[in-house]
Amino acid sequence: MKAVVVRAPMAFDVEEVPAPETPAGGLLLNVKACGLCGSDLRTLRSGHRKVTFPYVIGHEICGVVAETGPGYAGPWQVGDLLSMGPVVYCGRCDFCLEGQFELCENYREIAQAWPGGLAEQMAVPPEAIQLGVIERVPPGVDPGNAAIAEPISSCLNAQERGKVGLGDTVVIIGSGPIGCIHIALARLHGADRVIIADINAERLRLAAPFEPDAAIDVSKADLVSEVRRLTNGKGADVIVTATPAPAAVVQAVEMARKGGRILLFGGLPKDDSKPPVDMNIVHYNALALIGTTTFAPRHYRLAVKLAASNRIPVDKLITHRFPLAEFKQGAMMALEGKVLKAVFQP
């Protein structure tokens, strides 16, 4: 079969590889669509501590069940179209036992612990059947739309923890696909105003179809001053740092309204993860710094529904669709920031 093989940072292409065998207790999927996300781009650019090259990546997956393995006992059958979340929980840690799967201490991911979905076929291991995140896709839904439930899930978890709600002014720093999903979710949660900010004017242009109330080009304006101006000096109720820029955390604290919530969504570089935050502002303004990562099965279930109904406008989010054979071209465009969200279809 054909699959994207990453052999080293910035050394990747579509190759002929052996087709996977159907695992005992698992499934074989004919992949219909696989999204390319920010973590994939980081892996392509500089590798990943959990990935040993050469490897097949891709963890935003939608596919049709082609075969079930010996001893398979799951609910999905041959012919079912499935949206496949990458996370496989351990089921044994304190958090799993308490139902807080998003905090699982030992989770593994498809495209790291097992080969991913940027391929014509993918084996679904029995661990994913038992403790993974798999949802049947409603009839008539585009597989590309269903493939990108994973980033929506993580954003749902973040906004749930941040209690985004009616009347809030929400500022999102970072206008990539995650930032755009946060715009749409903030609207669904009843936010009064949603402001997007980025240092890249092209990214802001790509985010324009999501209709933020204001867009701030941080290369031309001081972000904190501009947010204060737009909020009559009060600041924002919620700030989402949808970027790996450490400065965004500092700015978020400085622009938050008293009692504000700061959702620390974007991970920071390992060698620059301690930005100089003024903790007196956090203390005296009673701010909440909320770290969020991954998602629970309930988030994924809702994400598939939102994508299927287009209540999250995935048609606006997916700006480019490529056949798998054109992965290198599409990935280079994504690495250069020329696409918002790319989906590849075998």
Side-chain angles (χ1 to χ4, degrees), residues 31-194:
V31 178
K32 294 300 179 183
C34 187
L36 187 68
C37 81
S39 63
D40 290 323
L41 296 178
R42 288 192 293 274
T43 301
L44 293 176
R45 187 182 288 114
S46 55
H48 192 289
R49 63 186 178 86
K50 293 184 179 180
V51 175
T52 301
F53 296 137
Y55 213 66
V56 177
I57 64 168
H59 62 258
E60 299 177 358
I61 303 154
C62 183
V64 172
V65 179
E67 189 173 273
T68 60
Y72 171 74
W76 307 285
Q77 300 301 322
V78 172
D80 285 346
L81 182 64
L82 304 179
S83 181
M84 180 88 207
V87 179
V88 177
Y89 309 103
C90 75
R92 301 183 305 274
C93 70
D94 291 346
F95 295 107
C96 283
L97 294 175
E98 293 168 3
Q100 294 180 283
F101 293 99
E102 66 273 25
L103 298 177
C104 174
E105 293 182 316
N106 307 299
Y107 72 86
R108 293 176 290 171
E109 292 192 44
I110 289 170
Q112 294 176 6
W114 304 274
L118 282 166
E120 292 180 318
Q121 291 189 313
M122 189 190 82
V124 180
E127 294 92 335
I129 302 299
Q130 297 157 11
L131 288 164
V133 189
I134 304 173
E135 290 293 321
R136 189 176 282 108
V137 178
V141 174
D142 185 289
N145 294 5
I148 60 170
E150 188 261 354
I152 298 173
S153 304
S154 295
C155 295
L156 278 167
N157 179 28
Q159 293 207 14
E160 177 185 278
R161 293 206 64 206
K163 299 181 180 178
V164 178
L166 293 170
D168 281 338
T169 293
V170 179
V171 174
I172 300 156
I173 308 175
S175 62
I178 291 296
C180 291
I181 293 169
H182 275 297
I183 294 174
L185 281 179
R187 293 276 191 228
L188 287 178
H189 283 130
D192 183 49
R193 283 192 296 173
V194 182

Side-chain angles (χ1 to χ4, degrees), residues 35 46 92 101 209 219 266 289 335-336:
S46 55
R92 301 183 305 274
F101 293 99
S219 70
L289 304 182
L335 285 164
E336 293 165 5

